[in-house]
Amino acid sequence: MNKNKFFSIIILFFVCFITFQITLPAQQNEGKYVIVLHGGAGGFPKDATDSLKNAYLNSLSEALSIGKNILENGGSSLDAVEKVINYLEDNPLFNAGKGGVFTSEGKHELDASIMFGKDLSTGAVAGVTIIKNPISLARLVMEKTDHVLFAGKGADELGLKLGVPVVHNSYFHTEDQYYNWLRSNLPKQPGETVGCVALDKQGNIAAGTSTGGRQNKMPGRVGDSPLINAGTYADNKTCGVSATGIGELFIRYTVAYRISALMEFKGYSLKQACEEVMYKVLPEGAGGIIAVDKDGNYEMVFTTPAMFRAVANSNGIFKTEIWK
Ligand code: ASP
């Protein structure tokens, strides 16, 4: 081999190496993914019948499989979060979409938000009354408008304009929630709100939350779920969070963002940040959070007796749980 040929080969080698380095960010997460979801924090009784318990566990497991498959096949965390929440919104066991709680006037007003940690883009809807899947409209707010949050009539009208599936308000009605509502004219403890947080193979974190709110809420009341920073947050630099519980408390204490801020500004680990906020900042019984960080760690912390929850990751974890 002459000298020139030798140098050409060396140069070619370096060009290939540099090209490989440049394209590497696309695979920077080394195929790692994580998905966590919740179906609300509350007081689900330990003596519930096996059939009811299994109905919840099976639903959590089906929702988890939807998200896991998307992430395993290289899909985006945003798709995983939206599709998991769509499933839970369509499932009458949960207080989101069909199965949402009743307001004090006997109607349904639904809230949802979604956030993408790559560029901090967010979309949210509050008090929608005819949108079958509020999380999907929240995503369209994020992707198709210059705004972040639509409320009430304007949000319903946006849904009609963007062509999302709409339903009559009575679609959200379920016998169980109606019975709960008839039995009590006091705000019920929170429960069965749904949320999901995922880290995909590209290293992007997304988080979303969807709810019917709190039973017997006053018409027009908005909780934490559609409020970015309170009920939902995602930043690739730190973590993604979805909350469930007494929304008024999660708003006052800026819970989802506070967890991210503790990591960003105080160097807390995900576990330290979640535990600080849930155990030291919020009062006992306020609710729970699920969270995933940029390295693939996850947390599911709650101070109620139960929180429907599930986790799957690329290390083979796949589990669903209800109590502590
Ligand atoms: N956080 C929701 C709200 O206050 C309720 C819940 O999580 O159950 O609207």
Side-chain angles (χ1 to χ4, degrees):
M1 192 188 301
N2 68 31
K3 221 173 171 183
N4 278 354
K5 205 165 175 191
F6 176 76
F7 280 117
S8 306
I9 290 172
I10 294 285
I11 287 168
L12 191 68
F13 175 78
F14 275 110
V15 169
C16 289
F17 181 75
I18 285 164
T19 312
F20 179 68
Q21 290 295 311
I22 290 170
T23 54
L24 206 57
Q27 321 150 10
Q28 68 186 343
N29 214 23
E30 293 154 5
K32 198 192 281 177
Y33 69 82
V34 191
I35 180 159
V36 286
L37 64 90
H38 70 76
F44 189 68
K46 279 210 163 147
D47 58 2
T49 61
D50 279 350
S51 76
L52 186 61
K53 197 174 93 182
N54 289 335
Y56 275 104
L57 288 171
N58 291 339
S59 298
L60 293 173
S61 169
E62 275 183 36
L64 190 63
S65 299
I66 293 170
K68 178 186 154 70
N69 288 342
I70 292 173
L71 296 172
E72 203 160 71
N73 291 319
S76 80
S77 51
L78 262 182
D79 286 342
V81 165
E82 182 188 0
K83 299 301 172 212
V84 163
I85 294 182
N86 283 162
Y87 169 88
L88 295 167
E89 286 174 337
D90 292 344
N91 186 321
L93 289 175
F94 297 95
N95 169 21
K98 184 156 184 72
V101 294
F102 285 75
T103 65
S104 59
E105 286 187 336
K107 297 200 174 112
H108 304 276
E109 297 178 5
L110 311 168
D111 302 333
S113 65
I114 194 162
M115 183 160 188
F116 193 38
K118 185 179 179 182
D119 55 7
L120 305 188
S121 54
T122 76
V125 293
V128 292
T129 60
I130 56 167
I131 306 300
K132 180 170 172 280
N133 293 108
I135 196 73
S136 295
L137 183 56
R139 183 166 177 182
L140 290 176
V141 167
M142 175 173 90
E143 290 175 346
K144 305 266 185 235
T145 79
D146 292 334
H147 307 300
V148 161
L149 170 63
F150 281 73
K153 195 163 162 272
D156 280 338
E157 282 168 2
L158 180 74
L160 288 168
K161 200 166 138 200
L162 295 175
V164 300
V166 294
V167 290
H168 189 271
N169 194 251
S170 60
Y171 159 84
F172 301 111
H173 176 119
T174 54
E175 285 307 305
D176 279 351
Q177 294 290 20
Y178 185 58
Y179 178 68
N180 284 337
W181 180 69
L182 285 181
R183 269 196 322 178
S184 158
N185 54 8
L186 297 168
K188 199 186 112 188
Q189 278 309 299
E192 287 107 37
T193 285
V194 308
C196 181
V197 184
L199 169 75
D200 63 27
K201 289 182 177 177
Q202 288 72 44
N204 292 319
I205 300 174
T209 313
S210 183
T211 188
R214 294 178 68 190
Q215 181 177 292
N216 265 319
K217 64 186 182 181
M218 293 171 72
R221 176 265 187 190
V222 174
D224 60 318
S225 308
L227 300 185
I228 294 301
N229 301 320
T232 305
Y233 194 74
D235 183 348
N236 278 5
K237 279 205 307 277
T238 52
C239 65
V241 180
S242 168
T244 168
I246 301 168
E248 285 70 10
L249 292 171
F250 284 74
I251 296 170
R252 276 182 211 144
Y253 292 101
T254 329
V255 166
Y257 176 68
R258 189 182 289 251
I259 290 171
S260 170
L262 284 173
M263 294 178 73
E264 183 172 357
F265 302 117
K266 287 208 155 180
Y268 280 38
S269 68
L270 183 72
K271 185 174 165 62
Q272 286 170 328
C274 292
E275 290 184 352
E276 168 88 14
V277 173
M278 289 310 302
Y279 298 144
K280 298 201 187 138
V281 175
L282 286 171
E284 170 83 19
I289 53 96
I290 54 167
V292 165
D293 76 9
K294 60 181 177 26
D295 300 317
N297 300 305
Y298 66 89
E299 290 295 328
M300 302 189 278
V301 184
F302 54 102
T303 58
T304 46
M307 180 168 79
F308 295 112
R309 61 200 188 279
V311 54
N313 69 13
S314 43
N315 291 336
I317 288 181
F318 187 103
K319 64 178 180 195
T320 56
E321 287 173 309
I322 301 179
W323 296 282
K324 289 206 168 116

